[in-house]
Every structure is written in C-alpha cells, then in structure tokens.
Amino acid sequence: MANAGRKGDEGLTKSGDDSVSIKNGQFESGEMDVAAVILAGGRGRRMGGRNKALLTYGNEPFIRRQCRLALEWAKEAIVVAPPSEELLQAVCGLGRVRVVPDEWTGLGPLAGLHAGLKASSSPVVWALACDQPSPSPEAARLLGEKLAAGTHRAAVPIVGGRTQPLHALYRADLASVCGTLLAAGERRLGALLEAIAWTGVPEEAFIRAGIGLGFATDVDTPEEYRRLLKDAAGPDD
C-alpha cells in the first residue's frame, strides 16, 4: 500500500458518535450528505467483453442491485458509463439515478471517479465498481464515521491486507486533483491516494461492527462469476 505509514494507517481513527452534527456544511441530521458513484464504463476484457454491469445476480442486473442497495443510504446514485438503452433499462424505475459519461474517455477508473465527483451535488461520494455485486450501506456508514471524525479527504477499506479504493468514500472536491493527475497521464486510483491524506479502515473494524466483508468481493472473470452464482445457490442437494 503506497504511503501507508504516512497517509493511510496512521490515519486510523476511532469511530465518531453515531449522531454526527453539521460539520463544515457536510452533515445534516446525523447522516452524511453522500452520492453513490458507480463506475460502469469498463470494457470487461477479462469477462470476455461482456458488460459486467449487466450481469445478473439474484434475478436482477448488477447495476440495478447496486443502485438499489446504495440508495438505502446515498441521496442519489450516479452511474458513470456511456449511456445505452440496456443500461438505462436496467435502472429504469428506481428513481434518484443518473447516468453520466466520462470526460476523459478510455482512461480507466480514475477518469470514471473524476466524472462522478464532478457530477455529484453532495460533498461526499461513495465510489463503487460495477463488478461489486454486494455494496454494503452499513460498511459505507462506518467509513462515513471515520471520515467525519477527522480531516482526511477519503476513507478507504483495507480488506485481506489490500487497500480497496473502490467501496471507499471521497470528498467531492477531489475532482480537481483527479483532473490534474489525468492531465499528467495518470490512470490509477492509487495515484489519487498517493496524492492526498486518507484514513484506512481495517477489516477488523467492520467485523467488530458485525459487518460482513462481502462488500469487497468483485467479479472480474467468467470463473469468478460462476463461483458467485454457485455460492449464492448454496450447497448441492
């Protein structure tokens, strides 16, 4: 984890009070003003060219499931992807969902996050990847407590010893930092974490709070997708 000692692990903070008052205009009535941003503009090369946002799980497309779950906490869901009839149909009827394109097309997740941060009317963004079928509002709230408790610009899960820059919270004003990095030729989300002060939330904190770690599961390949469906079906009779 780049700069973990300076900007990550040293930023581990104690959970704030469950009811967070207004702080710098960012919190209201004990809840964080947050928009979910789902990055869905990838080409799915490792999935054989299939659009991962449209894979189904629990009889609904990933993207619809993600928006539905994210909206249990977030004020709105912003899907960053080239608009398509299939994608729009997948989220039809949910309400509080917008689809916006990348400004820096074809430049990966940093460009997607940049577009979502710019599109957000909320001061905090909960960033997700479209291949994470089980986003957790409870995990996001815990990240929000950590972000509210300090002056960090992002709160990032650390699961299995790995930083998870997606399913993380970011201050929306980081759009300008993302733009500067993209203009310099960067494409990595890790480059953003290298440039800012962020707080890491270890998996033990989620476990202590009774929050499962399935939110960190992503589905990149056909084999991983088959495993997801098999696990959901349960043991064979």
Side-chain angles (χ1 to χ4, degrees):
M1 177 172 58
N3 291 332
R6 180 167 62 88
K7 293 181 178 176
D9 288 347
E10 75 169 8
L12 295 177
T13 55
K14 293 183 179 179
S15 175
D17 189 277
D18 288 341
S19 178
V20 182
S21 61
I22 295 174
K23 181 178 180 181
N24 297 327
Q26 298 191 52
F27 307 98
E28 184 176 357
S29 301
E31 276 286 19
M32 180 173 283
D33 181 0
V34 61
V37 167
I38 303 172
L39 309 186
R43 298 180 181 178
R45 291 187 181 92
R46 295 179 63 193
M47 190 58 72
R50 295 180 68 183
N51 186 339
K52 291 187 287 186
L54 299 176
L55 297 174
T56 58
Y57 181 55
N59 297 318
E60 61 185 336
F62 276 18
I63 193 67
R64 185 178 186 87
R65 174 182 170 86
Q66 289 178 309
C67 289
R68 177 175 56 78
L69 292 173
L71 288 171
E72 292 180 7
W73 184 49
K75 183 170 73 175
E76 66 171 337
I78 301 168
V79 179
V80 181
S84 71
E85 187 61 34
E86 283 184 303
L87 187 65
L88 294 173
Q89 186 62 35
V91 299
C92 181
L94 284 177
R96 293 185 291 143
V97 178
R98 288 189 284 148
V99 179
V100 302
D102 287 329
E103 292 186 18
W104 299 73
T105 57
L107 293 187
L110 182 62
L113 180 60
H114 171 260
L117 292 170
K118 286 195 70 175
S120 175
S121 61
S122 298
V124 176
V125 155
W126 174 18
L128 300 162
C130 72
D131 60 5
Q132 295 173 306
S134 299
S136 169
E138 293 78 14
R141 284 189 179 95
L142 180 58
L143 291 166
E145 291 179 9
K146 302 297 185 181
L147 191 63
T151 59
H152 302 94
R153 305 191 73 189
V156 184
I158 302 172
V159 178
R162 296 178 56 191
T163 304
Q164 305 286 330
L166 294 171
H167 210 294
L169 297 190
Y170 297 89
R171 307 278 184 184
D173 61 8
L174 287 171
S176 60
V177 180
C178 292
T180 299
L181 290 169
L182 288 162
E186 274 290 359
R187 300 178 61 169
R188 300 173 299 117
L189 280 178
L192 176 60
L193 296 183
E194 291 164 8
I196 64 172
W198 55 278
T199 184
V201 182
E203 62 182 69
E204 292 80 10
F206 297 104
I207 293 170
R208 284 196 303 269
I211 300 168
L213 301 178
F215 66 84
T217 299
D218 58 9
V219 179
D220 284 321
T221 66
E223 292 75 17
E224 290 174 350
Y225 182 44
R226 286 193 289 269
R227 189 179 310 124
L228 174 76
L229 298 180
K230 182 178 180 181
D231 291 345
D236 296 334
D237 294 334

